[in-house]
């Protein structure tokens, strides 16, 4: 197997066991397991973020959160996401993927460096000087989510397994009582 791949055994048995639990318990157990795994990813993303954003206000790190999605038609179905960005850290995708320095729209400037032009003469100020146009160099990608996923996938899975190993016996005891 490649460096980003690993084998997981026992999924069929886990599926059978989960199906034996009441639906509400199944959903709650799965949600807890997903949260346990995502917490590992969240910490990995925060660690990478502290490396790539030295002068950030903390808004990007504070915007990292775990979200869940449910499907009303599929009983016991739940999905989790690790999300970056909010109204204060709207730039999370720009940090992760970078920005282009070349214009890709229509017209004669396609493929040329992206130029920000002033709408009104002397309305664009940089360094205390009025400019008619400024060449935008773009921003290099500084990924923090992808490396967290690459590095923490196995640890995340282990956290999920540990959670399930602790929680399922408790739920089975409750169901039998």
């Amino acid at each position: 197997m490649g460096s980003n791949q690993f084998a997981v055994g026992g999924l069929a048995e886990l599926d059978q066991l989960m199906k034996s639990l009441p639906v509400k318990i199944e959903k709650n157990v799965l949600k807890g397991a997903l949260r346990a795994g995502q917490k590992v990813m969240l910490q990995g993303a925060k660690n990478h973020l502290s490396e790539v954003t030295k002068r950030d206000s903390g808004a990007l790190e504070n915007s990292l959160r775990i979200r869940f999605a449910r499907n009303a038609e599929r009983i016991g179905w739940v999905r989790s996401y690790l999300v970056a960005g909010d109204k204060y850290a709207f730039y999370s995708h720009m940090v992760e993927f970078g920005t282009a320095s070349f214009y890709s729209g229509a017209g004669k400037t396609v493929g040329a460096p992206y130029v920000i032009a002033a709408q009104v003469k002397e309305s664009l100020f940089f360094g205390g000087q009025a400019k008619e146009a400024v060449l935008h160099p773009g921003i290099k990608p500084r990924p923090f989510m992808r490396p967290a996923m690459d590095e923490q996938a196995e640890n995340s899975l282990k956290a999920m397994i540990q959670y399930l190993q602790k929680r399922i016996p408790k739920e089975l005891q409750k169901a039998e009582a």
Side-chain angles (χ1 to χ4, degrees):
M1 284 189 209
S3 63
N4 291 344
Q5 297 177 358
F6 48 91
V8 179
L11 292 179
E13 295 86 356
L14 176 61
D15 185 49
Q16 278 303 115
L17 182 60
M18 295 302 286
K19 286 179 180 174
S20 72
L21 295 174
V23 173
K24 184 176 180 184
I25 293 172
E26 177 188 352
K27 182 180 74 175
N28 290 338
V29 170
L30 286 175
K31 187 175 177 183
L34 288 171
R35 183 180 302 281
Q38 287 288 23
K39 283 183 178 180
V40 173
M41 295 287 186
L42 179 71
Q43 190 57 52
K46 284 184 177 184
N47 291 343
H48 279 283
L49 195 55
S50 66
E51 294 170 13
V52 300
T53 56
K54 304 284 188 226
R55 294 176 285 158
D56 186 57
S57 66
L60 188 52
E61 184 175 337
N62 292 337
S63 77
L64 291 171
R65 63 199 175 282
I66 299 168
R67 283 217 172 138
F68 293 92
R70 295 188 181 108
N71 186 336
E73 296 172 10
R74 294 179 68 190
I75 297 171
W77 183 93
V78 66
R79 180 179 288 168
S80 68
Y81 302 93
L82 182 58
V83 181
D86 57 16
K87 67 180 183 179
Y88 303 109
F90 57 88
Y91 51 88
S92 63
H93 62 288
M94 295 179 207
V95 174
E96 179 78 17
F97 301 108
T99 62
S101 61
F102 289 88
Y103 180 69
S104 59
K108 61 183 177 183
T109 58
V110 173
Y114 188 71
V115 176
I116 301 171
Q119 299 298 317
V120 178
K121 191 155 176 92
E122 297 184 4
S123 67
L124 193 60
F125 283 87
F126 283 92
Q129 295 180 339
K131 304 283 185 182
E132 289 183 27
V134 175
L135 178 65
H136 189 283
I139 300 169
K140 290 182 181 178
R142 295 177 289 163
F144 58 96
M145 295 286 269
R146 291 174 289 166
M149 174 62 186
D150 291 343
E151 293 172 8
Q152 298 300 330
E154 195 167 346
N155 293 333
S156 177
L157 187 59
K158 286 178 184 177
M160 291 173 64
I161 291 168
Q162 288 173 352
Y163 179 88
L164 290 170
Q165 287 173 336
K166 288 180 184 176
R167 181 84 187 265
I168 288 176
K170 290 179 185 178
E171 295 301 332
L172 288 172
Q173 285 178 347
K174 287 180 192 177
E176 291 173 0

